[in-house]
């Protein structure tokens, strides 16, 4: 069994850490809100007061945090992992959805310390994290990924290797940008059906079997019908806006046009400005319900 550190126990991270602990690994954890670790500590994990202390003696260090700023603090902050002395060859596995530029910068910092870095964002929902059914999107040197794979298998149903460090993040930003466009567009369609007086239950169920169906479209349409955007929050507008912003930055760097992504970004920005940044992202129906002058 390995000495594993897990940093970030949010909706996804907690389930992932539970999987590692259940597999018998020796687990040290850190989270800004320490109470999130209670169930892990009760089952044998060690809660640490900082990322630096959590990383002591680790063979693998996972991070699952919200954005570039949180990731930078975890690794480079005053009490960050790099403030300690991880052993040469320690595997750093960043599962957060981050900007491509920061992933490359962070990988460079790791190399300068003779550490091995894998960018490994995930797809899946919190219940899939708890069940070990995530899909991992890896950018890594093949030998580093091979070393990490036995541990990654505890977390996932598959690991897809897209190429060198940064490639996993490129795919994750691409797919999250596509998701934002799909969700914004189905909200617009549902608002149209609602205003025209259609039975929204029938609309949502018909969508589920039609050619426009995707898991995100179906899930969002059903959440709009249920009107339960402030319960069982799976993914927030604030996080989606962050991901779209990172994707558009990458597109600009690569000189790719993003007319649809730009419109979706504006819709999520408006939703957050209306005070709904922490609801479920299906709340974007509220933006579609209001016609601009």
């Amino acid at each position: 069994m390995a000495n594993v550190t897990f940093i970030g126990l949010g909706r996804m991270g907690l389930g992932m850490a539970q999987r590692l602990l259940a597999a018998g690994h020796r687990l040290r954890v850190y989270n800004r809100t320490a109470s999130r670790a209670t169930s892990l500590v009760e089952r044998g994990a060690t809660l640490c007061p900082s990322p630096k202390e959590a990383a002591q003696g680790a063979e693998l260090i996972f991070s699952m945090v919200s954005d570039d700023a949180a990731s930078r603090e975890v690794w480079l902050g005053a009490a960050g992992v790099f403030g300690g002395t991880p052993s040469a060859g320690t595997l750093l596995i960043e599962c957060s959805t981050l900007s491509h530029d920061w992933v490359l910068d962070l990988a460079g910092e790791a190399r300068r310390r003779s550490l091995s870095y894998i960018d490994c964002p995930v797809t899946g929902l919190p219940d899939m994290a708890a069940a070990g059914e995530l899909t991992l999107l890896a950018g890594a040197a093949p030998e580093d990924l091979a070393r990490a794979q036995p541990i990654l298998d505890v977390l996932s149903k598959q690991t897809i290797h897209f190429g060198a460090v940064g490639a996993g993040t490129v795919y994750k930003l691409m797919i999250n940008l596509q998701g934002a466009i799909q969700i914004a567009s189905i909200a617009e369609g549902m608002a149209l059906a609602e205003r025209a007086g259609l039975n929204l239950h029938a609309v949502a169920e018909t969508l589920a079997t039609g050619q426009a169906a995707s898991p995100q479209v179906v899930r969002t349409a059903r959440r709009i019908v249920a009107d339960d955007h402030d319960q069982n929050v799976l993914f927030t507008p604030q996080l989606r806006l962050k991901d779209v912003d990172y994707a558009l930055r990458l597109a600009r760097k690569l000189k790719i046009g993003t007319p649809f992504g730009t419109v979706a970004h504006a819709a999520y920005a408006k939703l957050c400005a209306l005070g709904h940044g922490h609801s479920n992202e299906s709340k974007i129906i509220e933006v579609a319900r209001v016609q601009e002058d």
Side-chain angles (χ1 to χ4, degrees):
M1 295 294 104
N3 294 321
V4 182
T5 293
F6 204 100
I7 299 168
L9 302 174
R11 293 185 183 93
M12 299 294 288
L14 181 60
M16 295 168 71
Q18 288 170 342
R19 292 286 303 176
L20 293 167
L21 193 59
H25 297 294
R26 294 174 291 274
L27 190 65
R28 294 168 68 88
V29 299
Y30 168 77
N31 194 62
R32 285 183 300 181
T33 304
S35 60
R36 291 282 298 173
T38 299
S39 64
L40 298 171
V41 172
E42 289 173 348
R43 295 164 60 188
T46 300
L47 175 63
C48 301
S50 70
K52 176 181 175 180
E53 293 190 41
Q56 290 179 359
E59 299 166 65
L60 300 95
I61 303 171
F62 285 86
S63 172
M64 184 56 143
V65 295
S66 59
D67 55 22
D68 283 7
S71 176
R72 189 173 287 106
E73 184 66 21
V74 159
W75 298 106
L76 295 177
V81 171
F82 292 161
T85 54
S87 300
T90 298
L91 284 164
L92 313 183
I93 304 175
E94 180 58 273
C95 296
S96 316
T97 302
L98 305 171
S99 73
H100 188 249
D101 285 343
W102 170 237
V103 164
L104 297 183
D105 288 349
L106 181 53
E109 292 287 346
R111 282 194 300 273
R112 282 188 280 278
R113 293 168 169 81
S114 299
L115 306 172
S116 299
Y117 182 89
I118 298 174
D119 78 297
C120 196
V122 311
T123 61
L125 297 172
D127 60 338
M128 298 170 72
E133 296 178 351
L134 296 172
T135 295
L136 306 184
L137 315 171
E143 61 273 19
D144 291 337
L145 187 59
R147 281 203 296 138
Q149 198 63 64
I151 309 295
L152 298 180
D153 286 345
V154 173
L155 304 174
S156 65
K157 61 182 179 182
Q158 64 176 332
T159 301
I160 304 173
H161 188 198
F162 284 96
V165 168
T169 290
V170 171
Y171 180 83
K172 181 62 188 294
L173 294 178
M174 181 200 83
I175 205 69
N176 276 20
L177 177 62
Q178 181 181 341
I181 295 166
Q182 288 183 329
I183 290 167
S185 68
I186 191 56
E188 188 173 283
M190 292 295 284
L192 178 64
E194 178 183 63
R195 192 66 53 85
L198 275 63
N199 181 314
L200 292 190
H201 290 277
V203 170
E205 294 312 306
T206 305
L207 274 169
T209 59
Q211 293 186 1
S214 73
Q216 287 181 315
V217 164
V218 173
R219 184 169 60 246
T220 301
R222 288 173 174 165
R223 289 294 296 260
I224 289 170
V225 173
D227 194 26
D228 63 349
H229 315 293
D230 296 311
Q231 303 168 28
N232 187 29
V233 174
L234 299 177
F235 202 72
T236 67
Q238 185 179 70
L239 286 175
R240 182 66 70 174
L241 179 62
K242 177 265 299 184
D243 290 355
V244 174
D245 182 56
Y246 291 166
L248 295 183
R249 287 191 214 174
L250 177 59
R252 287 193 293 271
K253 184 168 69 171
L254 298 176
K255 296 180 169 50
I256 300 296
T258 57
F260 304 111
T262 299
V263 170
H265 184 277
Y268 279 99
K270 182 174 181 179
L271 187 61
C272 290
L274 290 172
H276 302 306
H278 298 287
S279 298
N280 197 71
E281 61 180 335
S282 52
K283 190 83 170 182
I284 201 165
I285 183 69
E286 297 299 336
V287 174
R289 282 171 173 154
V290 179
Q291 185 177 46
E292 298 288 350
D293 294 332

